[in-house]
Amino acid sequence: MTDQVRVRFAPSPTGYLHLGSARAALFNWLAARHMGGSFLLRIEDTDLDRSKPELIEVIYQGLTWLGLDWDEEPVLQSSRNAEHQIAVDALLESGAAYWSSPIAEGDRAQFANKAYDPADRDRQLGPCEGRAVRFRVPESGTTSWNDLIRGEISVEHANIEDFVIRRANGSPTFFLANASDDAFMGITHVIRGEDLINVTPKYLLLREAMQTPGALPKFAHMPLIVNEQRKKLSKRRDDVSLMDYKDRGFLPEAMVNYLSTLGWGPTDGQEVRLDPLSLTDGFPTMFDIAQVSSSPAFFDTKKLLFVNGEHLRALTLEEFADRSAPFIATAPWFDRFESDPENAQRLLQILPEVQTRVETLSEVPGYVDFLFLEDPEIDEAAWNKAMGPDAAVWLSACIDGIAEWEWSSPLLYESFMALAEQMGANRRKFQAPVRVAITGRSVGPPLFESMQILGRVEVLRRLQATLDRVQLTA
Ligand code: GLU
């Protein structure tokens, strides 16, 4: 074994990639790239219901989307069952583990609330239905390690119970499989969530007893990720699935940028680094696992939106169009969009105005739909607000003007404002009925650019239809 750094991301397949797992993958990836080592994958799929290929595929997809490439073939924990059994047998053989019988729930009080009878340690029991194998934790002393993030951590053996390493049904437990596989994979740094701190003393005891070759790994336990209420992110309360963020129009580079700040920050003191960080350039050089903080990291969805917006604005127009394409393709009006070859050009004309305004790609269709729908979708609240007592007079004056005005957005703007003045109307209020007539909403891309792209004939048709409705309901 060389002293080459080897880290691993070891998720259990759950059918989605949790944000906390995505952050664990990212920090492991960064640590590996920073130290010039290898980033390995191990799928902890010993729960056989979770060993399904489609559940494992979700993990690969998430990592691929984030741009986190892994080295070597992923190790499937379930494929190492025979080795796990051998490891348990060796621990039984050396006396580091023993067979133990379960005790009935009602009898636990007699055994200091333990699920087993400590006297089994000396009973020299053999295998028998219902019996599990437990690790014999030394009665005195401590297990310690120097955590790269938290410093010295020490746990007294008196506080660790004899834990199960092989269940009564014959399956190895997480403790055993996890420690055994890290030894097999030659892992040098275990970088994982702080929820696993209490597992680490057991891991170290096992590794020592297993006498696995190679040095014991270094540990770095990353801080918890919490929500606004300072509670641990949970599936029930929070949107924790990485790929939901993809579907909601977040860019992978923005996710990487934001996830990287959950516990870590560049030493130049910026809390969130907003200039897009490239995974291939400076980022791994800057990242140092030892600089990660031990305090809980707040998952701030507002900040994430802001970071995503910044990344969207940093794209070239062509990239922005490419990234928007899947969202356009799933819009209800996509068939209509495709039916006119000029629509692609119209979209490209409006996109620069959209790029400066949205925070996620999923907002894009709502900003451009008025161009591709037969009639704009009217937001009734916006309509009611815009169609004041002067709406009919104003709309009809606009129709007369627009039929004549030169068709370019700056000139449309000038003519429009001159007309507002002439009619003694407030400029903003004067625009409102026209905006709702054309786009259906009160917010959106700039009005005169929108009009220019939509074309005179269609603008006039929509204004007339609006005027008719206003007069009908007056
Ligand atoms: N499979 C464990 C989990 O998903 C991680 C184990 C580890 O990183 O050591 O929580």
Side-chain angles (χ1 to χ4, degrees):
M1 188 82 31
T2 65
D3 53 7
Q4 235 246 340
V5 165
R6 290 169 69 81
V7 303
R8 86 308 192 266
F9 171 50
S12 309
T14 51
Y16 68 100
L17 192 60
H18 190 286
L19 285 176
S21 300
R23 197 252 331 234
L26 174 62
F27 281 22
N28 272 284
W29 184 94
L30 285 167
R33 299 295 174 252
H34 177 77
M35 296 186 275
S38 301
F39 171 63
L40 310 178
L41 276 192
R42 178 171 73 241
I43 308 298
E44 300 211 324
D45 60 343
T46 42
D47 176 349
L48 286 181
D49 290 343
R50 293 186 167 179
S51 185
K52 298 199 179 87
E54 61 272 22
L55 298 187
I56 298 173
E57 195 51 42
V58 171
I59 296 170
Y60 299 152
Q61 280 166 0
L63 296 179
T64 306
W65 182 61
L66 290 177
L68 305 178
D69 53 336
W70 56 92
D71 306 304
E72 304 180 12
E73 270 300 299
V75 171
L76 293 190
Q77 191 158 66
S78 57
S79 73
R80 292 198 14 91
N81 184 48
E83 286 82 357
H84 298 151
Q85 300 296 349
I86 291 170
V88 175
D89 289 342
L91 291 167
L92 279 166
E93 183 73 20
S94 71
Y98 63 93
W99 289 98
S100 116
S101 302
I103 50 173
E105 191 76 34
D107 296 336
R108 285 201 184 167
Q110 306 171 38
F111 301 102
N113 271 332
K114 289 193 164 75
Y116 62 102
D117 177 356
D120 283 353
R121 288 165 73 104
D122 306 316
R123 287 199 173 113
Q124 313 285 341
L125 299 173
C128 173
E129 179 144 351
R131 269 183 206 154
V133 177
R134 288 185 184 270
F135 185 81
R136 191 189 299 277
V137 176
E139 274 158 69
S140 59
T142 55
T143 284
S144 326
W145 74 96
N146 191 5
D147 198 279
L148 293 174
I149 295 173
R150 284 150 209 275
E152 187 76 9
I153 299 182
S154 195
V155 181
E156 287 188 31
H157 294 153
N159 294 330
I160 309 173
E161 64 171 25
D162 286 356
F163 53 95
V164 174
I165 57 175
R166 179 157 71 202
R167 297 183 192 88
N169 68 9
S171 63
T173 58
F174 165 77
F175 307 120
L176 188 282
N178 187 255
S180 155
D181 292 352
D182 277 351
F184 166 71
M185 293 167 74
I187 298 305
T188 58
H189 295 69
V190 172
I191 301 167
R192 58 186 183 184
E194 72 168 45
D195 49 328
L196 291 166
I197 288 183
N198 60 353
V199 170
T200 300
K202 298 176 184 168
Y203 177 111
L204 288 168
L205 286 166
L206 269 173
R207 286 287 299 263
E208 270 160 34
M210 288 196 278
Q211 296 180 342
T212 51
L216 292 175
K218 295 190 167 69
F219 287 87
H221 286 98
M222 296 173 287
L224 210 62
I225 305 178
V226 296
N227 66 11
E228 270 167 351
Q229 288 101 41
R230 307 282 144 183
K231 293 207 176 105
K232 186 179 166 184
L233 281 196
S234 93
K235 191 161 83 171
R236 216 164 19 85
R237 283 189 297 260
D238 310 290
D239 190 357
V240 294
S241 162
L242 176 75
M243 291 314 238
D244 283 356
Y245 289 83
K246 174 177 189 246
D247 298 343
R248 285 166 54 196
F250 287 86
L251 296 175
E253 56 269 45
M255 289 308 289
V256 161
N257 191 163
Y258 186 67
L259 288 173
S260 78
T261 67
L262 296 177
W264 175 78
T267 41
D268 62 11
Q270 287 194 50
E271 196 191 344
V272 176
R273 191 152 186 109
L274 294 172
D275 46 315
L277 287 166
S278 157
L279 277 180
T280 46
D281 305 339
F283 198 1
T285 320
M286 292 158 63
F287 184 85
D288 182 353
I289 192 73
Q291 283 169 5
V292 172
S293 151
S294 59
S295 328
F298 170 35
F299 186 77
D300 183 345
T301 40
K302 288 201 195 76
K303 210 175 258 178
L304 172 62
L305 277 167
F306 177 72
V307 171
N308 200 57
E310 293 291 297
H311 279 270
L312 284 173
R313 279 176 265 300
L315 299 175
T316 63
L317 178 60
E318 213 177 17
E319 284 167 340
F320 182 69
D322 279 354
R323 307 289 191 102
S324 301
F327 292 85
I328 300 289
T330 49
W333 39 261
F334 186 64
D335 285 347
R336 240 185 95 79
F337 172 82
E338 275 207 311
S339 66
D340 180 348
E342 280 178 33
N343 276 342
Q345 196 48 39
R346 288 193 186 104
L347 180 62
L348 270 185
Q349 285 175 321
I350 197 85
L351 279 183
E353 305 297 343
V354 180
Q355 190 178 4
T356 56
R357 289 171 169 78
V358 291
E359 284 184 315
T360 62
L361 291 169
S362 55
E363 291 169 65
V364 174
Y367 270 77
V368 302
D369 61 356
F370 74 94
L371 286 173
F372 310 116
L373 286 164
E374 191 166 3
D375 289 301
E377 212 170 291
I378 303 289
D379 168 358
E380 292 301 326
W383 173 284
N384 292 336
K385 202 154 171 239
M387 305 305 166
D390 298 320
V393 182
W394 290 350
L395 280 167
S396 117
C398 286
I399 291 171
D400 293 344
I402 282 170
E404 305 290 327
W405 294 336
E406 202 167 319
W407 207 249
S408 88
S409 57
L411 294 174
L412 283 171
Y413 170 82
E414 272 175 33
S415 315
F416 194 89
M417 292 312 167
L419 182 60
E421 192 121 329
Q422 200 184 314
M423 303 199 65
N426 168 299
R427 287 174 158 207
R428 202 174 42 81
K429 286 199 179 138
F430 192 66
Q431 275 188 56
V434 176
R435 178 183 285 283
V436 173
I438 290 170
T439 68
R441 301 191 177 87
S442 54
V443 287
L447 180 59
F448 302 100
E449 277 79 356
S450 301
M451 282 167 55
Q452 189 186 323
I453 298 166
L454 192 60
R456 191 194 309 264
V457 174
E458 182 59 15
V459 166
L460 284 172
R461 190 189 72 78
R462 290 186 186 188
L463 289 173
Q464 189 60 52
T466 306
L467 177 59
D468 293 348
R469 182 178 158 191
V470 169
Q471 283 173 335
L472 207 68
T473 51

